[in-house]
Amino acid sequence: SFLHGQCSGDILGLKQGTAVEACIVNAQGRLVDLVTVCNLREDEMLLIVSNARVDMIEALFNKHIFALDRVEVTRKLVYPNQ
């Protein structure tokens, strides 16, 4: 899967309804962010990232998405205690 190629964790082995912590690294192998990947459904993953890294991760992913990947990056804002 696309996300498996972008993260250090075992995304392909992630069962529906479970989550795993993973690292996102740039092309030089430097850490971009420590994230949590949640498998919501067979075709939907939720990636929980640091607020300060949202733009950087979105740009990194969009740079590597090809039309045939059938991947869509969308933002879902979550506010604590609401």
Side-chain angles (χ1 to χ4, degrees):
S1 83
F2 171 81
L3 198 52
H4 183 78
Q6 302 301 314
C7 297
S8 65
D10 180 15
I11 307 306
L12 294 178
L14 192 59
K15 296 188 184 333
Q16 186 173 334
T18 62
V20 66
E21 288 188 339
C23 293
I24 296 177
V25 296
N26 63 18
Q28 292 76 35
R30 293 197 175 122
L31 180 66
V32 172
D33 202 5
L34 175 63
V35 302
T36 302
V37 181
C38 308
N39 186 345
L40 302 180
R41 292 191 284 273
E42 181 180 329
D43 63 346
E44 185 177 2
M45 299 280 195
L46 173 66
L47 189 67
I48 302 171
V49 304
S50 301
N51 190 42
R53 302 287 185 196
V54 171
D55 292 333
M56 183 183 298
I57 292 170
E58 183 177 32
L60 182 67
F61 283 6
N62 284 329
K63 181 179 174 181
H64 293 98
I65 293 175
F66 297 100
L68 296 178
D69 283 336
R70 293 177 26 199
V71 172
E72 180 182 350
V73 176
T74 57
R75 292 183 184 207
K76 188 179 267 189
L77 299 177
V78 178
Y79 297 99
N81 303 321
Q82 288 189 3

